[in-house]
Amino acid sequence: MIGHPDGRGVAASERPAIAVIGGGIIGLAIGWRLAAAGCRVDVFDAGRAGQGATRAAAGMLAADAEAEPGEQALLPLNRLSRSLWPAFAAELEAASGLTVDLRWDGTVQIALSADDTARLRHHHAFARSLGLEQHWLTGAEALRREPHLRPGLGGALFSPGDGQVDNRKVAAALVVALRRAGGRLHEDRAVEEVVVERGRATGVRVAGTLHRADRVVLAAGAWSRRIPGIPPEALPPVRPVKGQMLALRMDPAAPLLRGVVWTPTAYLVPRADGRLIVGATVEERGFDDRLTAGGVYALLDGVWRALPGVEDLPIDEMWTGLRPGSRDDAPVLGPCPVDGLVLATGHHRNGILLAPVTADAVAGFVLTGDLDAAARPFTLDRFRECAA
Ligand SMILES: Cc1cc2nc3c(=O)[nH]c(=O)nc-3n(C[C@H](O)[C@H](O)[C@H](O)COP(=O)(O)OP(=O)(O)OC[C@H]3O[C@@H](n4cnc5c(N)ncnc54)[C@H](O)[C@@H]3O)c2cc1C
């Protein structure tokens, strides 16, 4: 145990020093929790905080709609984190004085063709076998929820427990909350090396200077394998998975869509300010983060097929992001073979959803040396067991 339950009244030099690599939602949330617990926290980002995958995301908290065959192990973590979001958002809003637009409208997955309907029915059966709350809607019922959807839908699946949050607002709020809790954020300060001495991480090198720390948290998203100094056996199996996205501008007083809708080829996320986020491609392109004609075309085609009224909407923005995908699409959390180096990466397509549970589990591990039971299936060890 290195932490003081409450750092107030403890001399700064006696408080544990934590270096966090990466100022995305994961590094910021962990840094905020640790600073609030009395640690001396320094978060380093190679660019501006929150501008990586965290900025690119759609902010869906879609634990139920996301449930996929083969990912059953991840479902309890996703659902636990979703249940933590209301308190996390309230605490963050109070700590920062900023809003994050958390909404619980559910997710509607729609079928446009007979094949889509068969696929959705199969998905429904799978979800029911897991005990998830999902309701089948006829095409007419789906249209009553969202009247601007294309008529003649084959049906829809409604997950009432899902929600959304404005991920960009979350990042902005975390920056303020981290600083108010006494944490320091160093932007445009890439970590050049994790310094490991006699098998233990003792700090990070930034701009040629050694910054000593009792614990180093690796939260560099898709770039987590690119930080020099980490021995191969401690590197998480994380790679960039590119996503292209765009936003259309609706009239906020008369939006075409009120809640999150998944079409067979795109998802549509309406924001309170009238933006309609349309996402996302899933591409293995390494660190190539350029927009492409094919990617943007696929998104526009996907939204237009489901919501013909978008035809005249202005395009507000187009962008790409790199999801930190792991080998099994689940995060990599907690200890690794290097003492003092703590992993918090690999959140792939659910890093916004998983931020509260990750922050609690990783901060808890840093403070007590004990990894919460919910996070234990997600340590680096699981990949070594596979290899054995
Ligand atoms: C298109 C798209 C849509 C998505 N939609 C959703 C969604 O709806 N719901 C959901 O839950 N998740 C979603 N995700 C996933 C989610 O965005 C990510 O899982 C999450 O943002 C990962 O957060 P992170 O902090 O680990 O990574 P990032 O936000 O990428 O942050 C990593 C940070 O590390 C920094 N860094 C890199 N190298 C260094 C270095 N050497 N030194 C210091 N800093 C460094 C980077 O500059 C970056 O800021 C989506 C992702 C994408 C790309």
Side-chain angles (χ1 to χ4, degrees), residues 159-197:
S159 304
D162 288 345
Q164 65 149 304
V165 69
D166 187 324
N167 38 291
R168 295 182 183 180
K169 291 187 176 177
V170 172
L174 281 170
V175 166
V176 174
L178 168 75
R179 288 192 165 130
R180 285 190 178 170
R184 290 182 297 188
L185 174 63
H186 310 268
E187 297 184 298
D188 300 314
R189 286 284 174 274
V191 168
E192 294 152 352
E193 183 189 3
V194 173
V195 178
V196 178
E197 294 168 323

Side-chain angles (χ1 to χ4, degrees), residues 233-249:
E233 66 276 15
L235 281 175
V238 171
R239 68 185 195 288
V241 181
K242 175 177 167 181
Q244 306 192 42
M245 298 262 277
L246 57 85
L248 304 174
R249 173 68 60 186

Side-chain angles (χ1 to χ4, degrees), residues 192-328:
E192 294 152 352
E193 183 189 3
V194 173
V195 178
V196 178
E197 294 168 323
R198 290 186 294 282
R200 181 175 183 83
T202 54
V204 294
R205 197 172 304 282
V206 179
T209 301
L210 172 62
H211 176 96
R212 287 212 171 270
D214 298 298
R215 297 283 187 278
V216 175
V217 178
L218 178 62
W223 298 267
S224 294
R225 287 178 71 84
R226 289 197 145 187
I227 320 287
I230 304 174
E233 66 276 15
L235 281 175
V238 171
R239 68 185 195 288
V241 181
K242 175 177 167 181
Q244 306 192 42
M245 298 262 277
L246 57 85
L248 304 174
R249 173 68 60 186
M250 304 184 292
D251 177 356
L256 285 182
L257 214 60
R258 296 190 179 274
V260 174
V261 168
W262 291 18
T263 83
T265 56
Y267 53 72
L268 318 176
V269 183
R271 296 280 200 240
D273 64 0
R275 270 159 68 90
L276 178 62
I277 313 289
V278 183
T281 65
V282 180
E283 302 169 67
E284 299 284 349
R285 294 275 188 276
F287 285 94
D288 176 353
D289 62 355
R290 290 173 294 183
L291 283 162
T292 63
V296 171
Y297 173 76
L299 297 176
L300 289 172
D301 183 61
V303 60
W304 180 80
R305 280 176 191 276
L307 201 61
V310 296
E311 182 112 7
D312 294 323
L313 296 185
I315 295 180
D316 207 51
E317 189 187 345
M318 296 190 276
W319 67 94
T320 65
L322 299 175
R323 305 171 185 88
S326 80
R327 211 181 294 153
D328 60 3

Side-chain angles (χ1 to χ4, degrees), residues 60-77:
M60 292 180 295
L61 309 176
D64 288 348
E66 279 276 359
E68 278 191 10
E71 293 186 4
Q72 285 92 328
L74 187 54
L75 185 64
L77 194 72

